[in-house]
């Protein structure tokens, strides 16, 4: 766990981010959960609010992962439909922009960073 937290801290510093996460998929139940989170000083953790979510929230992301690998949302206000679950979950966390990269195991996408 310490190594994962250090990795997330390094990723956050590299991208000048306040927070970085690992989300893992439960493909059987089609749910996802935030399993690791690093937050900068003064940033409120969101990990407890991001458990056992419907994978449909990230359907568009999974398509992006399959087609292009990682992706970036420059501005959730400008790039996303405000009525979408995707927008709502990001806005709830006060996320303004997002970089996401898939995690693979044996050719399957099992989560994202």
């Amino acid at each position: 766990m310490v190594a994962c937290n250090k990795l997330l801290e390094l990723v956050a510093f590299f991208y000048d981010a306040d927070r970085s996460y690992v989300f893992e998929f439960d493909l059987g139940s089609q749910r996802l959960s935030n399993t690791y989170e690093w937050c900068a000083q003064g940033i409120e953790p969101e990990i407890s609010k991001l458990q056992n979510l419907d994978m449909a929230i990230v359907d568009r992301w999974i398509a992006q992962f399959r087609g292009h690998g990682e992706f970036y949302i420059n501005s959730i206000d400008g790039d996303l439909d405000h009525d979408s679950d995707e927008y709502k979950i990001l806005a709830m966390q006060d996320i303004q922009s997002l970089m996401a990269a898939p995690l693979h195991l044996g050719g399957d996408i099992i989560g994202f960073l």
Side-chain angles (χ1 to χ4, degrees):
M1 183 155 170
V2 172
C4 193
N5 285 339
K6 186 63 177 174
L7 172 65
L8 291 175
E9 179 181 14
L10 290 170
V11 168
F13 283 139
F14 183 81
Y15 287 101
D16 193 27
D18 293 330
R19 189 183 285 128
S20 60
Y21 305 114
V22 170
F23 276 85
E24 294 182 61
F25 299 157
D26 180 338
L27 298 174
S29 67
Q30 292 293 291
R31 311 297 285 177
L32 71 138
S33 292
N34 178 347
T35 51
Y36 297 96
E37 176 182 45
W38 177 89
C39 296
Q41 187 173 356
I43 300 299
E44 191 70 30
E46 298 288 337
I47 194 167
S48 64
K49 299 173 188 171
L50 301 171
Q51 301 299 310
N52 201 33
L53 304 172
D54 187 336
M55 280 182 54
I57 293 170
V58 295
D59 279 347
R60 190 178 73 82
W61 299 6
I62 294 170
Q64 287 279 75
F65 294 149
R66 288 186 179 131
H68 307 287
E70 70 282 341
F71 70 92
Y72 184 73
I73 298 172
N74 187 48
S75 165
I76 70 163
D77 284 327
D79 296 346
L80 301 178
D81 176 358
H82 289 213
D83 291 327
S84 71
D85 289 335
E86 176 185 12
Y87 176 85
K88 289 173 187 173
I89 199 145
L90 294 173
M92 169 197 77
Q93 300 168 75
D94 198 29
I95 291 175
Q96 304 302 311
S97 60
L98 174 97
M99 186 281 299
L103 299 172
H104 293 271
L105 179 64
D108 293 324
I109 298 171
I110 60 164
F112 61 90
L113 174 68

